[in-house]
């Protein structure tokens, strides 16, 4: 058969495309459960790390169920739309753990309707409120978890993740805590998101260092990583945009 | 490499050279000057550089093998498209497998895995070697070029991480006392252009040691 005839080329291309499609689809279907599990594990590991519990893929599920008290989904007024605890939904129809934060934030932008997850966790008998956050960095999405202490104001711990920030610069927001070194996420400890009169201030990441400016009080600001201004701005915006939705919930119980 | 009457041994001197040449005198980056783009992108830290090197070697050798198997059936008018489809399919497979079995690594590489598709070394070797050779030499050629590429990547990444972040493979090498004395990490080394300087230095060293490589 003439290899340069149109018929041969068409048949060759079609057969090849179908074969490749079958191979890729079956690989995807076969690996999907494993990938989903990895994603869930990662989410648990991140939630745990914000309250200072280090976990890995092997013990994440167990540690998570030990440390979580309840998962709630809240609306704008601060009411609990759904509550999930001890392995079952108490009311509402969606588990906070399964809320897709990215699309939930998009809905807020579009319709103003708020349905955001909040995780109430414990460690050594203390209660912590863990808020997942999601936003834009320089090159792609960034995300994280903010754990507040019982006063719903003081930050107990945070952790951040990113998809494609510059290695060595913006990517340092995700540097995991190491013994004896202060990493970016450590700077957030003991900062406050409300000022003395109860107004929401969020926590800002400040280029040039908190000490060198007077706009933001040291208690509401952390030093930016030098050389990564845009990632730092992204972190500031992410914290503000996400935390602002929880104000009513936090004020309500006070 | 015309067809031979008698079977040549799997690791004949000629076949061994297919692996060793690209590591040294026919290196894809320093001699063929292919794959510069990713040499800039993934060499800020050593770890992604190493994983990138392994992934490229895997895709390149398997891809070379498949192309060489198909080489007599591929219509020459759409050969580039066929090569691209095979590269893309292999890269997606690598990505899926990493996501399932080495989630941490896949998180680190993120976009770079997709970038393997655009790595010119792969297209270059498919077109220049696998289209004209048998599967076994093609497989060896793929492995050789992958290692040659990876070697340069690792050398560049080592220096960039050492001078740019003061670490090697994530471990701090330059002691705190240096920083206290006023030593500062060189931010310039982290920026992409420094990778070009590093590659150029490697080419310089290599060509001054081996005069045959110098072009007129």
């Amino acid at each position: 058969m003439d290899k340069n005839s149109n018929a041969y080329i068409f048949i060759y291309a079609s057969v090849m495309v179908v074969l490749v499609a079958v191979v890729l689809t079956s690989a995807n279907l076969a690996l999907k459960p494993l990938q989903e599990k990895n994603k869930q594990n990662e989410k648990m590991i991140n939630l745990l790390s914000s309250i200072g519990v280090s976990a890995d893929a092997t013990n994440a599920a167990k540690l998570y169920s030990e440390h979580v008290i309840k998962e709630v989904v809240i609306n704008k007024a601060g009411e609990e739309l759904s509550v999930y605890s001890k392995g079952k939904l108490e009311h509402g129809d969606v588990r906070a753990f399964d809320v897709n934060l990215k699309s939930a934030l998009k809905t807020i932008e579009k319709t103003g309707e708020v349905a955001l997850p909040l995780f109430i966790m414990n460690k050594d008998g203390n209660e912590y409120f863990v808020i997942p956050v999601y936003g834009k960095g320089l090159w792609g999405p960034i995300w994280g978890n903010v754990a507040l202490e019982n006063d719903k104001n003081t930050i107990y711990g945070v952790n951040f993740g990113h998809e494609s920030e510059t290695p060595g610069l913006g990517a340092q927001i995700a540097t995991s805590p190491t013994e004896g070194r202060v990493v970016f996420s450590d700077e957030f400890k003991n900062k406050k998101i409300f000022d003395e009169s109860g107004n929401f201030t969020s926590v800002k990441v400040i280029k040039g260092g908190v000490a060198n400016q007077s706009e933001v009080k040291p208690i509401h600001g952390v030093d930016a990583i030098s050389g990564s201004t845009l990632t730092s701005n992204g972190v500031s915006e992410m914290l503000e945009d996400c935390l602002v939705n929880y104000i009513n919930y936090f004020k309500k119980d006070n | 490499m015309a067809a031979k009457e008698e079977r040549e041994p799997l690791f004949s001197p000629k076949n061994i050279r297919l692996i060793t040449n690209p590591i040294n005198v026919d290196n894809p980056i320093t001699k063929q000057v292919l794959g510069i783009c990713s040499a800039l992108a993934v060499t800020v830290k050593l770890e992604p550089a190493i994983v990138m090197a392994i992934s490229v070697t895997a895709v390149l050798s398997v891809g070379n093998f498949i192309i060489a198997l198909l080489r007599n059936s591929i219509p020459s008018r759409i050969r580039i498209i066929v090569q691209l489809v095979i590269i893309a399919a292999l890269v997606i497979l690598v990505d899926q497998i990493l996501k399932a079995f080495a989630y941490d690594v896949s998180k680190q590489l993120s976009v770079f895995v997709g970038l393997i598709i655009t790595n010119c070394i792969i297209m270059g070797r498919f077109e220049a070697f696998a289209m004209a050779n048998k599967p076994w030499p093609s497989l060896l050629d793929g492995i050789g070029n992958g290692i040659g590429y990876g070697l340069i990547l690792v050398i560049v990444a080592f220096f960039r991480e050492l001078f740019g972040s003061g670490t090697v493979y994530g471990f701090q090498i330059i002691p705190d006392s240096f920083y206290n004395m006023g030593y500062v990490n060189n931010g310039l080394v982290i920026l992409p252009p420094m990778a070009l300087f590093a590659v150029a230095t490697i080419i310089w060293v290599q060509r001054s040691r081996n005069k045959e490589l110098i072009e007129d």
Side-chain angles (χ1 to χ4, degrees), chain A residues 3-6 8-9 12-13 16 20 23-24 27-28 31 34-35 38-39 42 163-164 167-169 181, chain B residues 44-45 70 72-78 82 85 89 92-93 96-97 99-101 103 107 110-111 172 190:
Chain A
K3 274 201 291 176
N4 279 320
S5 72
N6 285 344
Y8 181 85
I9 291 178
Y12 194 91
M16 180 184 68
V20 168
V23 169
L24 289 186
N28 184 275
L31 297 174
L34 280 170
Q35 295 173 354
N38 282 334
K39 277 195 193 129
E42 197 206 358
E163 189 178 285
S164 46
L169 295 173
R181 276 180 77 193
Chain B
V44 174
K45 289 265 159 88
L70 298 175
N72 291 327
S73 74
I74 298 175
S76 62
R77 273 153 66 186
I78 59 164
V82 174
V85 169
I92 294 170
L93 269 182
Q96 296 277 344
I97 290 171
K99 268 195 188 130
F101 297 107
Y103 192 69
K107 246 186 2 196
S110 59
V111 291
Q172 193 175 348
I190 289 177

Side-chain angles (χ1 to χ4, degrees), chain B:
Chain B
M1 263 168 250
K4 280 188 189 164
E5 291 302 310
E6 53 184 298
R7 277 184 70 97
E8 80 179 269
L10 285 184
F11 288 102
S12 62
K14 203 172 71 194
N15 282 346
I16 295 291
R17 267 202 306 281
L18 286 175
I19 294 191
T20 53
N21 270 357
I23 295 175
N24 186 14
V25 291
D26 199 20
N27 188 286
I29 293 185
T30 61
K31 185 67 192 7
Q32 306 171 38
V33 199
L34 289 171
I36 294 291
C37 7
S38 53
L40 303 184
V42 298
T43 51
V44 174
K45 289 265 159 88
L46 200 51
E47 198 179 352
I50 290 173
V51 182
M52 183 72 172
I54 295 171
S55 317
V56 167
T57 309
V59 171
L60 186 52
S61 46
V62 177
N64 247 358
F65 184 76
I66 295 175
I67 289 285
L69 274 181
L70 298 175
R71 72 187 187 283
N72 291 327
S73 74
I74 298 175
S76 62
R77 273 153 66 186
I78 59 164
R79 66 181 196 285
I80 301 284
I81 301 174
V82 174
Q83 291 166 9
L84 262 181
V85 169
I86 287 173
I87 299 172
L90 285 174
V91 168
I92 294 170
L93 269 182
V94 168
D95 189 34
Q96 296 277 344
I97 290 171
L98 282 180
K99 268 195 188 130
F101 297 107
Y103 192 69
D104 290 333
V105 177
S106 111
K107 246 186 2 196
Q108 279 222 329
L109 281 179
S110 59
V111 291
F112 298 129
V113 175
L115 280 182
I116 299 175
I117 297 178
T118 59
N119 192 318
C120 15
I121 294 176
I122 299 181
M123 283 292 275
R125 292 325 291 173
F126 281 11
E127 183 69 11
F129 196 91
M131 285 297 284
N133 286 286
K134 286 186 178 162
W136 174 248
S138 300
L139 181 69
L140 296 180
D141 179 76
I143 295 172
N145 276 284
I147 296 174
Y149 164 80
L151 191 68
I152 303 294
L153 228 58
V154 167
I155 295 173
V156 175
F158 175 81
F159 286 109
R160 287 184 78 191
E161 188 174 347
L162 181 62
F163 293 116
S165 315
T167 57
V168 168
Y169 208 77
F171 297 106
Q172 193 175 348
I173 293 294
I174 296 174
D176 283 328
S177 54
F178 272 54
Y179 290 101
N180 296 338
M181 279 158 61
Y183 174 85
V184 187
N185 284 330
N186 190 344
L188 192 63
V189 183
I190 289 177
L191 300 174
M194 273 314 282
L196 273 188
F197 285 105
V199 171
T201 313
I202 296 173
I203 295 180
W204 180 23
V205 170
Q206 193 190 19
R207 293 198 181 180
S208 59
R209 284 168 55 102
N210 190 341
K211 300 276 187 246
E212 281 168 34
L213 294 178
I214 300 171
E215 290 130 16
D216 297 319

Side-chain angles (χ1 to χ4, degrees), chain A residues 221-239:
Chain A
V222 299
D223 296 344
I225 299 162
S226 49
S228 53
T229 308
L230 290 172
T231 306
S232 304
N233 291 349
V235 172
S236 291
E237 275 164 34
M238 166 173 81
L239 290 175

Side-chain angles (χ1 to χ4, degrees), chain A:
Chain A
M1 195 172 175
D2 178 14
K3 274 201 291 176
N4 279 320
S5 72
N6 285 344
Y8 181 85
I9 291 178
F10 272 117
I11 295 170
Y12 194 91
S14 324
V15 170
M16 180 184 68
V17 168
V18 169
L19 271 181
V20 168
V22 168
V23 169
L24 289 186
T25 317
S26 37
N28 184 275
L29 285 179
L31 297 174
K32 192 120 216 168
L34 280 170
Q35 295 173 354
E36 286 301 317
K37 201 162 168 267
N38 282 334
K39 277 195 193 129
Q40 289 201 343
N41 275 339
E42 197 206 358
K43 207 166 170 180
M44 290 178 191
I45 291 171
N46 286 340
L47 284 167
L48 287 168
S49 108
S50 71
I51 58 164
V53 176
S54 63
D56 58 43
T58 52
N59 59 10
K62 185 172 158 279
L63 282 173
Y64 180 76
S65 60
E66 275 171 22
H67 285 279
V68 73
I69 301 172
K70 63 175 180 175
E71 303 170 5
V72 294
V73 177
I74 59 133
N75 67 8
K76 188 148 197 154
E79 292 152 354
E80 293 177 349
L81 292 177
S82 87
V83 178
Y84 177 97
S85 83
K86 301 202 179 71
K88 62 177 194 293
L89 269 177
E90 287 181 359
H91 69 87
D93 47 11
V94 62
R95 189 184 159 190
F97 192 81
D98 297 328
V99 170
N100 183 332
L101 195 55
K102 187 181 171 189
S103 43
L105 288 170
K106 269 218 179 99
T107 319
I108 298 176
E109 223 169 80
K110 267 194 214 142
T111 64
E113 209 173 296
V114 178
L116 290 173
L118 173 72
F119 300 86
I120 299 167
M121 305 179 76
N122 79 16
K123 185 187 150 194
D124 307 332
N126 294 320
E127 217 174 49
Y128 299 102
F129 296 84
V130 183
I131 304 163
V133 292
Y134 185 94
K136 282 201 248 354
L138 170 58
W139 306 113
I142 51 176
W143 55 84
N145 292 291
V146 178
L148 298 179
E149 282 176 19
N150 219 352
D151 63 358
K152 296 164 185 163
N153 183 5
T154 314
I155 293 181
Y156 177 72
V158 294
N159 76 316
F160 295 114
H162 68 94
E163 189 178 285
S164 46
E165 297 309 295
T166 324
L169 295 173
Q172 287 184 39
I173 59 167
T175 309
S176 47
T178 17
E179 205 62 32
R181 276 180 77 193
V182 177
V183 297
F184 183 66
S185 58
D186 290 333
E187 293 187 51
F188 284 83
K189 282 181 184 160
N190 299 323
K191 302 287 174 184
K192 292 187 192 299
I193 61 168
F194 293 103
D195 65 14
E196 293 96 350
S197 35
N199 297 316
F200 176 66
T201 56
S202 183
V203 172
K204 298 255 181 336
V205 183
I206 293 156
K207 185 186 175 183
V210 178
N212 302 322
Q213 51 89 49
S214 53
E215 236 171 79
V216 178
K217 288 197 182 142
I219 196 80
H220 305 304
V222 299
D223 296 344
I225 299 162
S226 49
S228 53
T229 308
L230 290 172
T231 306
S232 304
N233 291 349
V235 172
S236 291
E237 275 164 34
M238 166 173 81
L239 290 175
E240 179 152 12
D241 292 349
C242 291
L243 296 180
V244 76
N245 297 301
Y246 293 86
I247 296 176
N248 287 332
Y249 180 85
F250 289 146
K251 293 230 161 136
K252 220 170 114 181
D253 284 10
N254 279 343

